[in-house]
Amino acid sequence: MSVQAETSEEGVYSFAAMEAKWPAIWDELKVFTPLDDGSRERRYVLDMFPYPSGDLHMGHAEAFAMGDVVARYWRQLGYDVLHPIGWDSFGLPAENAAIKHNAHPSEWTYTNIDTQAESFKRYAISVDWSRRLHTSDPEYYRWTQWLFKRFHDRGLAYRKNSPVNWCPKDQTVLANEQVVNGACERCGTIVTKKSLNQWYFKITDYADRLLEDMDQLKGHWPERVLAMQRNWIGRSEGAHVNFVIEAAGEKAEQQLTVFTTRPDTLYGATFFVVAADAPLALELVTPEHAEALSDYREQVKKLSDIDRQSTEREKTGVFTGRYAVNPLTNELLPVWAADYVLADYGTGAIMAVPAHDQRDLDFARAFDLPVRAVLDTGAEDPAVSGVATAGEGTLINSGNLDGLSKAEGIPAAIKILEELGTGEKFVNFRLRDWLLSRQRFWGTPIPIVHCESCGEVPVPDDQLPVRLPDNLRGEALSPKGTSPLAAATDWVNVPCPACGGAARRDTDTMDTFVDSSWYFMRFASPDYTEGPFDPATINDWMPVGQYVGGVEHAILHLLYARFFTKVIHDMGLVEATEPFSRLLNQGQVLNGGKAMSKSLGNGVDLGEQLDKYGVDAVRLTMIFAGPPEDDIDWADVSPSGSAKFLARAWRLGQDVASAPGTDPSTGDAALRSATHRMVHDTKALIDGHKFNVVVARLMELVNATRKVIDTGAGAADPAVREAVEAVAVVLSLFAPYTAEDMWNQLGHPASVVNAGFPAVDASLLVEASVTAVVQIQGKVRDRLEVAPDISDADLEALALASENVKRTLDGRGIRKVIVRAPKLVNIVPA
RNA sequence: GCCCGAGUGGCGGAAUUGGCAGACGCGCUGCACUCAAAAUGCAGUUUCUUCGGGAGUGUGGGUUCGAGUCCCACCUCGGGCACCA
């Protein structure tokens, strides 16, 4: 079907005519540019900025429709709204396209950005285009480099040699957050391990604050995002316990620390395990066991992370020939090397308490090691049952700890260890430092020069930005395991900024998540040249009042952005300690129950939808489909239905026959009441993100108004004008073209954006009469039309007089009557 | 295995503090307009019914005058984490 008339003649709804007419006028009036002068309270709305891959798709259309509702709503409420847009324009796809087409990544990138920008303009998102930014612009990445240097000054950016995640396809390292089920988050290739010297951000220093500050976000961020972050940070309370490893042959005595959450079970430790793949295992092993260990390490290396982490797998390991001394009992515990202990969690070594830890018990049974229960839980002895007991109980076989519960035993054991000087309370985190270097071209260069005599020397601020060379194209960019920048010899070789001697630039570039960790602050002053943002205005806008984006960034981007904000706060540059006060995760757009994809051939082309139904109908469909967090199945929704509604609403504007400014007080009372209720309820509904319900309420009011025009008080009734004006203003949150056109038809100058939210007359929220329900035993038996201010006694009398009630009671007595005037009476028969 | 979230008509989804379940829309059916169709408008649409009424919000219990909503147990689906000591 098509609701669009080819002409824009009077009286015919034509989305094409509106889309041609209004953008230039909005531009001229600068309606989306914040005043930024302090005359109004400021609010900041932000959609996660897009990556410029091709043109906009249905997913963008949904996300930006949601963010735009909030931006337009806040403008109607009279706030000075900052709603900017930019592009996350560094990244691999540009580079891959450049290799394929023998071009420079910037060509592909900026062409796509321009295409997307044009589509966004057509889509009428209410953003201030003058603040547009791109992270691949030197004026932007200059400040990314500047921030990197400040992190470096504070010891928060450092290099270390360590086993890292390596994606063989993309030929670059990955952060932990970018490995999903052992595969590259970007391309799905199974990730391998490599030992490399890489740059890291010390996000672990902020683990506690990242966790604690989530209290500020509770209730304002989706619970599942908070849960995922909590999980990822993985705070775990316990103790560090020091063990002496006895000398053996030429191997001298050593000290080893383990992390445990169960220091109360120390008396039950019967062996000791170190991560087989850690260097520690090689340090410990005696010559007699060295060959067995190295064979075992080879075997472990061959396993993929997925196989290795399977809990189904039989436990494996080898004895190292060494013994650890239990600090409480002086008992000797054999030290094993096994792959079930992870090298990069805790200290890479554990005390094994098989009776109370299933993994340790499985290992003990595989290698016939002793099992000693030290906590009586009432369950069968784990040595017999094969099931470790981890629950509550009473400590036994534990010296001074005997008789204590698990909860009492933990602090008691820590106290004993502290007195012996051989352990202490410790909080361990799962979170690792953020690996930020990438062996790829299209990213922010790391502003460091490596000098033989001076070491790592930061590039002086006045020499920033370190620009990417523009003479590398096509094949020269192909991934080869080291950064393509290394081949740009004239770029790489520079004098050392400190001593002037021959030196080399760092050839890695930064993870693109670095770029996106602070862009929201740059929007406050995108053209500022003296720093990353203007200190005079940053606190006027930060934090972002409403952030909108997909849940796929629940950990990655959102955790990094929170970390950056805290560090920048600590640098004294911003007051906010959290970047985003409220977060809305929009769902995905599916087709036929599945995500749209080329391989399934179920993609829906946004441009085609817009051509067919118009921008407003597509936006309205996105909003009306359901709660913003839910996925939208395009096969289940009806853009033609949305178009039909928009035309109906628009025709109301045509029909209004009273002059602008008409006093509504003499108008149809029922319609006035409906109008004011709609406006009143809209506020709470928008605040609760129930945009779909607002649309339903609009539909009701449009239907009611139609009825009044056609079969009631008529088009000249002032209540009709009042209703239609309210429809236009509220509709402007979802369907900007139609609303603007209606506003114009109603005789108002542009723009409806500045119309202001209609005032609510509280006296009109009460209806003339309400329907009271009469129940017997909770079942509805009658309905009564009563005055809204009827008393409980009067309502009860009316209810008892009802014929239906008398018949149903059929002579039975009444035990009790519950009255909730004016809505309900419930009669309980004897 | 652990942690979140969710189960309501043919479909998407509504339902402040427990108080008329199914708002609004899609689809479908019928009617009007039309030579006809499209578009548009109007009416109907949880289900069973002996037309009095009965049943009904994943299942089974419970609290209450009254439960989609609160409590307990379970089932199913979605998501996250997972040999994390």
Coordinates of all heavy atoms in Angstrom, one line a residue, chain B residues 35-47:
Chain B
rC35 P -19.9 3.3 -9.5 OP1 -19.9 4.1 -10.7 OP2 -21.0 3.5 -8.5 O5' -19.7 1.8 -9.9 C5' -20.9 1.0 -10.2 C4' -20.4 -0.3 -10.9 O4' -19.8 0.1 -12.1 C3' -19.4 -1.0 -10.1 O3' -20.0 -1.9 -9.2 C2' -18.6 -1.8 -11.2 O2' -19.3 -3.0 -11.6 C1' -18.7 -0.8 -12.4 N1 -17.5 0.0 -12.5 C2 -16.3 -0.6 -12.9 O2 -16.3 -1.8 -13.2 N3 -15.2 0.2 -13.1 C4 -15.2 1.5 -12.8 N4 -14.1 2.2 -12.9 C5 -16.4 2.1 -12.3 C6 -17.5 1.4 -12.2
rA36 P -19.4 -2.0 -7.7 OP1 -20.2 -3.0 -7.0 OP2 -19.2 -0.7 -7.2 O5' -17.9 -2.6 -8.0 C5' -17.8 -4.0 -8.4 C4' -16.4 -4.3 -8.8 O4' -16.0 -3.4 -9.8 C3' -15.3 -4.1 -7.7 O3' -15.2 -5.1 -6.8 C2' -14.0 -3.9 -8.5 O2' -13.5 -5.1 -8.9 C1' -14.6 -3.1 -9.7 N9 -14.4 -1.7 -9.7 C8 -15.4 -0.8 -9.3 N7 -14.9 0.5 -9.3 C5 -13.6 0.4 -9.7 C6 -12.6 1.3 -9.9 N6 -12.7 2.6 -9.8 N1 -11.4 0.8 -10.4 C2 -11.2 -0.5 -10.5 N3 -12.1 -1.5 -10.3 C4 -13.3 -1.0 -9.9
rA37 P -14.9 -4.9 -5.2 OP1 -14.9 -6.2 -4.6 OP2 -15.7 -3.8 -4.7 O5' -13.3 -4.5 -5.3 C5' -12.3 -5.4 -5.5 C4' -11.0 -4.8 -5.9 O4' -11.3 -3.8 -6.9 C3' -10.3 -4.0 -4.8 O3' -9.7 -4.7 -3.9 C2' -9.4 -3.1 -5.7 O2' -8.3 -3.9 -6.1 C1' -10.2 -2.8 -6.9 N9 -10.8 -1.5 -6.8 C8 -12.1 -1.2 -6.5 N7 -12.4 0.1 -6.5 C5 -11.1 0.7 -6.9 C6 -10.7 2.0 -7.1 N6 -11.5 3.1 -6.9 N1 -9.4 2.2 -7.4 C2 -8.6 1.1 -7.6 N3 -8.9 -0.2 -7.4 C4 -10.2 -0.3 -7.1
rA38 P -9.5 -4.3 -2.4 OP1 -8.9 -5.4 -1.6 OP2 -10.8 -3.7 -1.9 O5' -8.5 -3.1 -2.5 C5' -7.1 -3.3 -2.8 C4' -6.4 -2.1 -3.1 O4' -7.1 -1.4 -4.2 C3' -6.4 -1.0 -1.9 O3' -5.4 -1.3 -1.0 C2' -6.2 0.3 -2.7 O2' -4.8 0.4 -3.0 C1' -7.0 0.0 -3.9 N9 -8.4 0.6 -3.8 C8 -9.5 -0.1 -3.5 N7 -10.6 0.6 -3.4 C5 -10.1 1.9 -3.7 C6 -10.7 3.2 -3.7 N6 -12.0 3.3 -3.5 N1 -10.0 4.2 -4.0 C2 -8.7 4.1 -4.2 N3 -7.9 2.9 -4.1 C4 -8.7 1.9 -3.9
rA39 P -5.7 -1.1 0.6 OP1 -4.5 -1.5 1.3 OP2 -7.0 -1.8 0.9 O5' -6.0 0.4 0.7 C5' -4.9 1.4 0.5 C4' -5.4 2.8 0.4 O4' -6.3 2.9 -0.7 C3' -6.2 3.2 1.6 O3' -5.5 3.7 2.7 C2' -7.1 4.4 1.0 O2' -6.3 5.5 0.8 C1' -7.4 3.7 -0.4 N9 -8.6 3.0 -0.4 C8 -8.8 1.6 -0.3 N7 -10.0 1.2 -0.3 C5 -10.7 2.4 -0.3 C6 -12.1 2.6 -0.3 N6 -13.0 1.7 -0.2 N1 -12.5 3.9 -0.3 C2 -11.6 4.9 -0.4 N3 -10.2 4.8 -0.4 C4 -9.9 3.5 -0.4
rU40 P -6.0 3.3 4.2 OP1 -4.9 3.9 5.1 OP2 -6.3 1.9 4.3 O5' -7.3 4.2 4.3 C5' -7.2 5.6 4.3 C4' -8.6 6.2 4.2 O4' -9.3 5.7 3.0 C3' -9.6 5.7 5.4 O3' -9.3 6.5 6.5 C2' -10.9 6.0 4.8 O2' -11.2 7.4 4.7 C1' -10.7 5.5 3.3 N1 -11.1 4.1 3.2 C2 -12.4 3.7 3.0 O2 -13.3 4.6 3.0 N3 -12.7 2.4 2.9 C4 -11.8 1.4 2.9 O4 -12.1 0.2 2.8 C5 -10.4 1.8 3.1 C6 -10.1 3.1 3.2
rG41 P -9.5 5.8 8.0 OP1 -9.0 6.7 9.0 OP2 -9.0 4.4 7.9 O5' -11.1 5.7 8.1 C5' -11.8 6.9 8.2 C4' -13.3 6.6 8.0 O4' -13.5 6.0 6.8 C3' -13.9 5.7 9.1 O3' -14.1 6.3 10.3 C2' -15.1 5.2 8.4 O2' -16.2 6.1 8.4 C1' -14.6 5.0 6.9 N9 -14.2 3.7 6.6 C8 -12.9 3.3 6.5 N7 -12.8 2.0 6.2 C5 -14.1 1.6 6.1 C6 -14.6 0.3 5.9 O6 -14.1 -0.8 5.6 N1 -16.0 0.3 6.0 C2 -16.8 1.4 6.3 N2 -18.1 1.2 6.3 N3 -16.3 2.6 6.5 C4 -15.0 2.6 6.4
rC42 P -14.0 5.5 11.7 OP1 -14.1 6.5 12.8 OP2 -12.8 4.6 11.6 O5' -15.3 4.6 11.7 C5' -16.6 5.2 11.7 C4' -17.6 4.1 11.6 O4' -17.5 3.5 10.3 C3' -17.5 2.9 12.5 O3' -18.0 3.2 13.8 C2' -18.3 1.9 11.8 O2' -19.7 2.1 11.9 C1' -17.9 2.1 10.3 N1 -16.8 1.3 9.9 C2 -17.1 0.0 9.5 O2 -18.2 -0.4 9.5 N3 -16.1 -0.9 9.1 C4 -14.8 -0.4 9.1 N4 -13.8 -1.2 8.8 C5 -14.5 0.9 9.5 C6 -15.5 1.7 9.9
rA43 P -17.4 2.5 15.1 OP1 -18.0 3.1 16.3 OP2 -15.9 2.4 14.9 O5' -17.9 1.0 14.9 C5' -19.3 0.7 15.1 C4' -19.6 -0.7 14.8 O4' -19.3 -1.0 13.4 C3' -18.8 -1.8 15.6 O3' -19.3 -2.0 16.9 C2' -18.9 -3.0 14.7 O2' -20.2 -3.6 14.8 C1' -18.8 -2.4 13.3 N9 -17.5 -2.4 12.8 C8 -16.5 -1.4 12.7 N7 -15.4 -1.8 12.2 C5 -15.6 -3.1 11.9 C6 -14.8 -4.1 11.3 N6 -13.5 -3.9 10.9 N1 -15.3 -5.4 11.1 C2 -16.5 -5.6 11.5 N3 -17.4 -4.8 12.1 C4 -16.9 -3.5 12.2
rG44 P -18.3 -2.5 18.0 OP1 -19.0 -2.4 19.3 OP2 -17.0 -1.7 17.9 O5' -18.0 -4.0 17.6 C5' -19.0 -4.9 17.7 C4' -18.5 -6.2 17.1 O4' -18.1 -6.0 15.7 C3' -17.3 -6.9 17.8 O3' -17.6 -7.5 19.0 C2' -16.8 -7.8 16.7 O2' -17.6 -9.0 16.6 C1' -17.0 -7.0 15.4 N9 -15.8 -6.3 15.0 C8 -15.5 -4.9 15.2 N7 -14.3 -4.6 14.7 C5 -13.9 -5.8 14.2 C6 -12.6 -6.1 13.5 O6 -11.7 -5.3 13.2 N1 -12.6 -7.4 13.1 C2 -13.5 -8.3 13.3 N2 -13.3 -9.6 12.8 N3 -14.7 -8.1 13.9 C4 -14.8 -6.8 14.3
rU45 P -16.5 -7.5 20.2 OP1 -17.2 -8.2 21.3 OP2 -15.9 -6.2 20.3 O5' -15.4 -8.5 19.6 C5' -15.7 -9.9 19.4 C4' -14.5 -10.5 18.7 O4' -14.3 -9.9 17.4 C3' -13.1 -10.3 19.4 O3' -13.0 -11.2 20.5 C2' -12.2 -10.6 18.3 O2' -12.0 -12.0 18.1 C1' -12.9 -9.9 17.1 N1 -12.4 -8.5 16.9 C2 -11.3 -8.3 16.1 O2 -10.8 -9.2 15.5 N3 -10.9 -7.0 16.0 C4 -11.5 -5.9 16.6 O4 -11.0 -4.8 16.4 C5 -12.6 -6.2 17.4 C6 -13.0 -7.5 17.6
rU46 P -12.6 -10.6 22.0 OP1 -13.7 -10.6 22.8 OP2 -11.8 -9.4 21.7 O5' -11.6 -11.7 22.5 C5' -10.4 -12.0 21.9 C4' -9.7 -13.3 22.5 O4' -9.5 -13.0 23.9 C3' -10.7 -14.5 22.5 O3' -10.6 -15.2 21.3 C2' -10.1 -15.3 23.7 O2' -9.0 -16.0 23.3 C1' -9.7 -14.2 24.7 N1 -10.8 -13.9 25.7 C2 -11.0 -14.8 26.7 O2 -10.4 -15.9 26.7 N3 -12.0 -14.5 27.6 C4 -12.7 -13.3 27.6 O4 -13.5 -13.1 28.5 C5 -12.4 -12.4 26.5 C6 -11.5 -12.7 25.6
rU47 P -11.9 -15.8 20.7 OP1 -11.5 -16.4 19.3 OP2 -13.0 -14.9 20.8 O5' -12.2 -17.1 21.7 C5' -11.2 -18.1 21.8 C4' -11.6 -19.0 22.9 O4' -11.5 -18.2 24.2 C3' -13.0 -19.5 23.0 O3' -13.1 -20.7 22.2 C2' -13.2 -19.8 24.4 O2' -12.6 -21.0 24.8 C1' -12.5 -18.6 25.1 N1 -13.4 -17.5 25.4 C2 -14.0 -17.5 26.6 O2 -14.0 -18.4 27.4 N3 -14.8 -16.4 26.8 C4 -15.0 -15.3 26.0 O4 -15.7 -14.4 26.4 C5 -14.2 -15.3 24.8 C6 -13.5 -16.4 24.5

